[in-house]
Amino acid sequence: MTRRTRYADIPAYRTLDGSEIRELCHPAVHGNRNQSLAEAIVEPGQSTRLHAHRQSEELYHVLAGRGVMTLGQEQFPVRPGDTVLIDPGTPHCIAADGPEPLRLLCCCSPAYAHDDTDLLEDA
């Protein structure tokens, strides 16, 4: 069981919402049980697709860049140091509106799964 990961060893992939993800710690790989932690990158001028998770509660913590968060019917700016709680079933997406990529940590409990993601808009 791996208790430590190294960023340079983690391949990036695209999630269903369109963001580039690195799974920093996920049960399918690392042996943890109840949550996952990933870094997401949204390029300038890009947005994730509006989506919801049926089971997972999610936290977004902004590391760098700036963006606009859509959470249910609400929209608000996010900046480094901001953390957003996303309840299960809540439609959400995030757009990078600055000159550099928006980087955020995403923590899901239970852990992220593609089949827990409902896309609410077309690509």
Side-chain angles (χ1 to χ4, degrees):
M1 182 180 325
T2 303
R3 296 278 182 200
R4 184 185 77 132
T5 62
R6 299 197 66 211
Y7 187 86
D9 297 336
I10 302 169
Y13 70 93
R14 292 251 173 238
T15 60
L16 292 176
D17 73 14
S19 57
E20 178 183 293
I21 293 287
R22 277 189 173 75
E23 290 285 1
L24 304 174
C25 197
H26 193 280
V29 179
H30 305 104
N32 51 308
R33 292 177 299 219
N34 301 315
Q35 61 187 328
S36 62
L37 178 65
E39 177 198 53
I41 298 175
V42 182
E43 295 297 328
Q46 300 296 309
S47 174
T48 63
R49 293 168 67 187
L50 187 67
H51 64 286
H53 305 288
R54 289 181 298 277
Q55 296 182 358
S56 286
E57 175 182 82
E58 194 168 18
L59 296 172
Y60 280 4
H61 179 76
V62 180
L63 298 171
R66 64 178 205 228
V68 175
M69 181 79 204
T70 298
L71 186 64
Q73 298 299 313
E74 191 179 357
Q75 279 195 329
F76 50 88
V78 292
R79 303 294 184 258
D82 291 352
T83 302
V84 179
L85 167 63
I86 306 164
D87 290 319
T90 303
H92 61 283
C93 64
I94 193 164
D97 69 350
E100 71 261 0
L102 177 62
R103 291 182 52 232
L104 53 141
L105 291 177
C106 305
C107 183
C108 293
S109 179
Y112 175 82
H114 288 310
D115 62 1
D116 185 43
T117 303
D118 293 325
L119 297 175
L120 304 174
E121 67 181 3
D122 294 330

